[in-house]
Amino acid sequence: MGAASPGGVSPSLAWPESGRRYGGGSEPSPRPGGCHRRGASPKVSPSGCLVGFMRRSRRCTRTPRPRWTIPCWPSASSSVSTPTGPMSSTATRLLRTPRVWGGGGAFGCVSPLSPRESRAVTGSGWRSWGMDQGAGKRVKERGNGWRSRRTGGGAGCGLPRDGKGLIRLIAPQNLINPPPGPPSLPPTALHSGFKEVERELPGAEDLDGAARALMRLQDVYALSVKGMANGVFQRAGASCPPLYSPGRRVSLSADDCFHVGKVAYDTGDYYHSIAWLEEAVGLFRLSYGSWNPEDRSSLEDALDHLAFSYFMAGNISHALSLSREFLHYDPSNQRVVRNVAKYEKLLEMGTAASARPLQRPNSTRLQSRDAYEELCQRPGGQLAPEHLLRLSCSYETNGSPYLFLQPAKKEVVWIQPYVALYHDFISDAEAETIKGLAGPRLQRSVVASGEKQQKAEYRISKSAWLKDTADPVVRALEQRIAAVTGLDLRPPYAEYLQVVNYGLGGHYEPHFDHATSRKSPLYRMKSGNRIATVMIYLSAVEAGGSTAFVYANFSVPVVKNAALFWWNLRRNGDGDGDTLHAGCPVLAGDKWVANKWIHEHGQEFRRPCGADPQD
């Protein structure tokens, strides 16, 4: 059977006050198995520590956490309540107001606010839950970003903010522990300087984007999760050599793998969450008993999320096995104890027999996904021998005096659609100048959606627009494009030069450059549709990043300083469906391209209509 939605959303497993955020939400990262007694009464030991944690680390710096549960009961149409999973950021947002959760009438329960939602957050960084007003005032007066909680019947203790862990991973050490020196800068200058540095540091959105990029690479290149965690780009279940062998192998930690799985878990993507959480569980088991100060998760976290992922996937027996292992480390967790009883009841009822295999999600509804991914995996854009016989290389002047002394090095890559690659089209110095001009202007790329433009998951990159007046290099480049193509690039017959940067996992799924609807923003230029595209590779990449023409069934690898040209429209003005193309995800390196889109108006005598109306 398909697993129903959780009726009683579980209590938020213990959450340490760390700088990392999971699932793009506003909550700190979940960590059951931290320094508190989860699922127990608010009373704590004199040291305030969970006994198991003391055995592992012999010390404790975290606050005891009170038990918090949500009352949940089966509805009249159900005889078995549904197990509840660890709290996700999505569920937390839904709990801002009391509401009923239910799946197909199987069950339902009223969910109050979670402790994380009821905590007050002030400008000084103070957060409290269950604290009287007087205690809150004392904490605020103390300042310095410290926190305090007073649990019902338990002892309160203060904790400094633990925000250095994330920054320590992604910034030079001297940003956190600067060398000693005279305190010459006033506090306001230090604060403004820190804010300036902070804007350059990755945030929660960047971390989640990196997790999604790893899952994208896993899918498009059919990579093994275990290999990726070990720094090896090896196809899953394949005996062929790795797609890419880095000079220096960098492995992912158990905490890294948990974060990737948690991002998938929070969006209900159990296909990916199971694979990455399995890897996280395996790595946590290997290091169990040792303490890593940079970890924001634990073996208990991974087991908890993995068990519920398997339940949602329909594999109840494995969910039961993982939940029992969880209780071996944390036998006092009442939610998991209840889940175990529910799993056993479901197995007795024979529910496990209806489990179905997981299907990989297709969030962008890409119909040509298989062909696109096969082209991206094809090494070096290999062509069939029958196509090679029709291709050619030549020096071209195109009748332009601009090219007489230095003809263009033209390679015909494909006949239909016509695609040509011009080698050494731009110099290294010119490429660096263009990247330098575009760098400060880069913003998240957008796509046309009807009459508007918006961000989209199927295009992940940053882009900027450069006028020909921005620098003499841009003007010279546009003159070169005009000479090679023989087209008119004067305004408004062409768009500004667009510079695009693709990072790790950056991609652009199959699309057309020309407009397929008269409502497209392209027609606002009053110069018709895009008749041709010139794409210049400003950098090399170590692996991935090919340009794949899906319907024509060929791909062009990145060639530094070369320019790729193709016609988007036929001579009769109709769009050429064979030009459906995509930018494959960057597997390793940094990809920079410059796009010049030329419109059909102004080209009537430069590319006239043919005698055949179908041409």
Side-chain angles (χ1 to χ4, degrees), residues 48-69:
C49 287
L50 182 67
V51 176
F53 184 86
M54 294 178 64
R55 285 200 298 266
R56 296 199 296 272
S57 65
R58 298 294 180 188
R59 69 194 200 87
C60 176
T61 59
R62 296 178 177 82
T63 306
R65 192 72 176 228
R67 181 177 69 172
W68 177 76
T69 58

Side-chain angles (χ1 to χ4, degrees), residues 521-582:
L522 293 178
Y523 286 102
R524 294 175 186 170
M525 294 181 62
K526 307 297 182 182
S527 56
N529 211 339
R530 288 173 174 170
I531 191 174
T533 295
V534 177
M535 185 170 65
I536 306 166
Y537 296 113
L538 301 177
S539 68
V541 295
E542 298 178 56
S546 299
T547 303
F549 289 81
V550 180
Y551 291 159
N553 193 30
F554 75 97
S555 62
V556 181
V558 175
V559 180
K560 189 176 186 297
N561 296 344
L564 196 64
F565 170 84
W566 67 88
W567 298 106
N568 294 307
L569 304 181
R570 300 181 183 275
R571 288 186 179 271
N572 62 6
D574 293 339
D576 189 344
D578 290 335
T579 61
L580 183 75
H581 63 286

Side-chain angles (χ1 to χ4, degrees), residues 163-164 166-176 193-207 462:
K164 297 198 299 183
L166 171 63
I167 302 177
R168 183 166 55 246
L169 292 173
I170 57 182
Q173 187 67 25
N174 60 4
L175 291 179
I176 307 304
F194 173 75
K195 287 295 183 183
E196 183 177 351
V197 173
E198 189 179 32
R199 284 194 294 268
E200 303 298 325
L201 296 176
E205 182 181 2
D206 300 298
L207 281 174
K462 289 189 173 184

Side-chain angles (χ1 to χ4, degrees), residues 14 74 81-82 101 103 137 169 181 194 230 243 254 278 305 354 375 380 399 421 456 515-516 537 543 556 594 596 598:
S81 57
T82 303
W101 279 53
K137 289 181 179 178
L169 292 173
F194 173 75
N230 292 326
L243 292 176
E278 283 278 15
H305 288 80
S354 60
L375 286 172
L421 186 69
T516 57
Y537 296 113
V556 181
K596 188 68 176 180
I598 308 167

Side-chain angles (χ1 to χ4, degrees), residues 31 53 55-58 283-293 295 297-299:
R31 181 170 182 164
F53 184 86
R55 285 200 298 266
R56 296 199 296 272
S57 65
R58 298 294 180 188
L283 293 173
F284 274 127
R285 283 169 177 161
L286 292 175
S287 61
Y288 192 78
S290 61
W291 183 63
N292 185 350
D295 278 353
S297 53
S298 65
L299 174 59

Side-chain angles (χ1 to χ4, degrees), residues 339-362:
N339 282 355
V340 167
K342 294 170 186 176
Y343 293 150
E344 292 173 343
K345 183 69 174 178
L346 289 171
L347 289 174
E348 290 176 3
M349 296 168 60
T351 308
S354 60
R356 57 182 182 273
L358 275 174
Q359 296 293 325
R360 178 182 145 196
N362 189 3

Side-chain angles (χ1 to χ4, degrees), residues 173-258:
Q173 187 67 25
N174 60 4
L175 291 179
I176 307 304
N177 299 311
S184 56
L185 293 176
T188 54
L190 288 173
H191 184 267
S192 61
F194 173 75
K195 287 295 183 183
E196 183 177 351
V197 173
E198 189 179 32
R199 284 194 294 268
E200 303 298 325
L201 296 176
E205 182 181 2
D206 300 298
L207 281 174
D208 292 349
R212 286 190 289 269
L214 288 174
M215 290 184 277
R216 187 180 308 123
L217 294 176
Q218 170 195 351
D219 292 341
V220 174
Y221 295 104
L223 298 177
S224 161
V225 171
K226 183 172 290 294
M228 295 176 71
N230 292 326
V232 178
F233 297 87
Q234 179 71 50
R235 293 182 187 174
S239 58
C240 56
L243 292 176
Y244 169 66
S245 299
R248 177 174 174 266
R249 184 181 300 180
V250 179
S251 301
L252 298 178
S253 67
D255 194 59
D256 295 330
C257 294
F258 173 80

